Amino acid sequence: MKKFTILLGIILLTSPAVLYSQKEMNIWYFGNYAGLDFNSGDPIPLLNSSMKTYDNCTTVSDSAGNLLFYSNGVTVWNKYHTPMPNGQGLFGATSSTNGSIAVQQPAKPDIYYIFTNDEFAGPYGLRYSVVDMSLNSGNGDVTSQKNIPILMPDTEKTLAVYHENNTDIWIIAHEWNSNAFHAYLLTENGLSTTPVISTVGSYHTGGTLGTYNSMGQIAATTDGLKIGLAIYDFQQYELFDFNRSTGTLSNPIIIPGYPNAWGVEFSPDGSKLYTTCWKFSPVYQFDISSNNAITIINSVVQIGDATSPDPEYSAGFLQTGPDNKIYIAKYNSEFLASINNPNEPGILCEFYDNSVYLGGRLSLAGLPSFIKSETSLGLKKDFESQNYLKVYPNPACEKIYVQVQTKWNSTINISLVALNGKSQHIHYTGTVKEGESTIELDLESQPSMSFDPGIYILQISLDGKSFMRKISIIGN
């Protein structure tokens, strides 16, 4: 066994600051007039919503975290919580899995496309309506481009993923009575009417009352390279590779045996898939890093129970927040559940049932839908391509370095814990200055600290964002 002393110093370097992720995901409206504000770092209940909606919806804020509008797929409310003049009568549905999702048109800062879905593979299908924020004295309105048909009939699954150029946006839907995904590219010139079609995976058809297999959430990893979905009465989840350049899906993996398959979401690092079943409370984690079907199926861990006061329905849909935690809707509950460290294996992911109080308002089945790249993919690009956060060397023996770049003076917290989470060996709190900083953890022999060689977790909190890195400690 090797023993260490911790000597921490900060080495300040000069380099250009990098951009932080924007705050378009910081305001949420959902459920039974419920809402949350993440602008302070922690989710704070909002009690001013005009919207009741059962399933996933959309909330749009600007880059400073100020509300612009929100919608349940039927009505569009402005920042004053009143319907936009032409914002009623959209052909979505309040009980469609992805009833609405809004994205900003590339190179058009005032223009947003709202994509709406009918419920139960209904006749209205997938459509879009355009919001122009320059209208109505800057409060926005739906233009004459309203309820424009795209795909009919389709399932309740709609997803937005950035193109490989990180500017254009793929709008992904699934045709009903088919195994065809349709991917439509949104550019500064508008929405392409010719989709990229991938015939792959299960044939979406049937179910209870002939249409229940249209239900089930769809989600993408933060890098956009994996897509997951649930098919309700097929009792299964499916995984696909996604090519952000061509818009094609491939390499399906089926995870069977989960009645009322409902919610899906990925960990921020893309290594874990989390799922729920609508009439049951368990929340499951799958390690998908192997990309091997049998290994993924066998990796399942029940990390907790998202309980509900409702006698029939329980764990709802999932959504990653701007704090990189995953939140879970709980039907008719005054609380959301959360997964606080979703990159971590098993119970180390820290599931909490009654995690976020909604101020007396009620969660239903859904949460807001976002194009995650607006925040979490932006962070990933900053970290990896611009060296925003780097931990080295790995494996480590004598020293560990944590290198960060910040736009302003920031508080940083660092902890080094054993993989089982039971033993904390290092805790450090300090301030890093604007620009690039390197924190040195000098591991020297000292009886007060001891480590067995093995895998440890370096937990880093910076400006309210939490990050994890696995690191190997070896002896001399």
Side-chain angles (χ1 to χ4, degrees), residues 17-53:
V18 300
L19 293 175
Y20 272 72
S21 61
Q22 302 301 297
K23 300 179 180 180
E24 288 91 344
M25 286 176 60
N26 277 18
I27 301 294
W28 293 17
Y29 288 105
F30 59 93
N32 196 350
Y33 304 100
L36 291 172
D37 184 342
F38 287 85
N39 279 304
S40 68
D42 295 320
I44 305 300
L46 292 171
L47 305 179
N48 54 2
S49 175
S50 296
M51 180 175 70
K52 180 177 181 180
T53 188

Side-chain angles (χ1 to χ4, degrees), residues 313-367:
Y313 304 116
S314 191
F317 297 127
L318 306 91
Q319 176 61 56
T320 300
D323 53 5
N324 286 319
K325 299 177 182 179
I326 293 176
Y327 294 91
I328 306 171
K330 307 199 304 172
Y331 197 72
N332 272 334
S333 174
E334 295 182 348
F335 294 87
L336 299 183
S338 73
I339 304 166
N340 287 1
N341 289 301
N343 292 337
E344 296 308 301
I347 60 172
L348 291 180
C349 72
E350 297 185 20
F351 171 85
Y352 295 94
D353 185 18
N354 290 331
S355 177
V356 178
Y357 178 58
L358 300 177
R361 302 297 169 90
L362 298 180
S363 165
L364 295 175
L367 296 169

Side-chain angles (χ1 to χ4, degrees), residues 13-199:
L13 307 174
T14 58
S15 72
V18 300
L19 293 175
Y20 272 72
S21 61
Q22 302 301 297
K23 300 179 180 180
E24 288 91 344
M25 286 176 60
N26 277 18
I27 301 294
W28 293 17
Y29 288 105
F30 59 93
N32 196 350
Y33 304 100
L36 291 172
D37 184 342
F38 287 85
N39 279 304
S40 68
D42 295 320
I44 305 300
L46 292 171
L47 305 179
N48 54 2
S49 175
S50 296
M51 180 175 70
K52 180 177 181 180
T53 188
Y54 290 93
D55 286 359
N56 288 342
C57 49
T58 192
T59 308
V60 175
S61 301
D62 64 20
S63 60
N66 301 307
L67 176 68
L68 296 179
F69 64 88
Y70 56 101
S71 177
N72 58 6
V74 177
T75 300
V76 185
W77 290 269
N78 64 24
K79 63 184 178 182
Y80 298 111
H81 309 283
T82 59
M84 291 184 175
N86 193 32
Q88 300 184 75
L90 274 65
F91 288 171
T94 63
S95 59
S96 173
T97 300
N98 296 104
S100 62
I101 181 172
V103 296
Q104 188 179 52
Q105 184 178 2
K108 302 290 179 66
D110 287 328
I111 304 300
Y112 291 83
Y113 278 62
I114 302 179
F115 296 91
T116 59
N117 245 329
D118 203 352
E119 60 187 356
F120 301 121
Y124 288 138
L126 176 67
R127 296 173 181 252
Y128 75 87
S129 300
V130 174
V131 170
D132 185 341
M133 290 305 300
S134 70
L135 300 177
N136 192 26
S137 302
N139 295 316
D141 196 8
V142 177
T143 72
S144 59
Q145 289 182 279
K146 183 177 179 181
N147 293 323
I148 308 300
I150 304 172
L151 176 63
M152 299 174 291
D154 72 327
T155 70
E156 298 181 2
K157 299 169 175 63
T158 308
L159 180 66
V161 177
Y162 273 110
H163 185 278
E164 192 174 49
N165 62 22
N166 294 318
T167 299
D168 301 328
I169 299 169
W170 292 108
I171 305 302
I172 303 165
H174 199 287
E175 186 178 345
W176 181 239
N177 287 327
S178 171
N179 69 336
F181 288 91
H182 291 232
Y184 302 84
L185 192 61
L186 178 64
T187 71
E188 62 180 319
N189 297 317
L191 185 71
S192 170
T193 58
T194 303
V196 175
I197 298 177
S198 303
T199 52

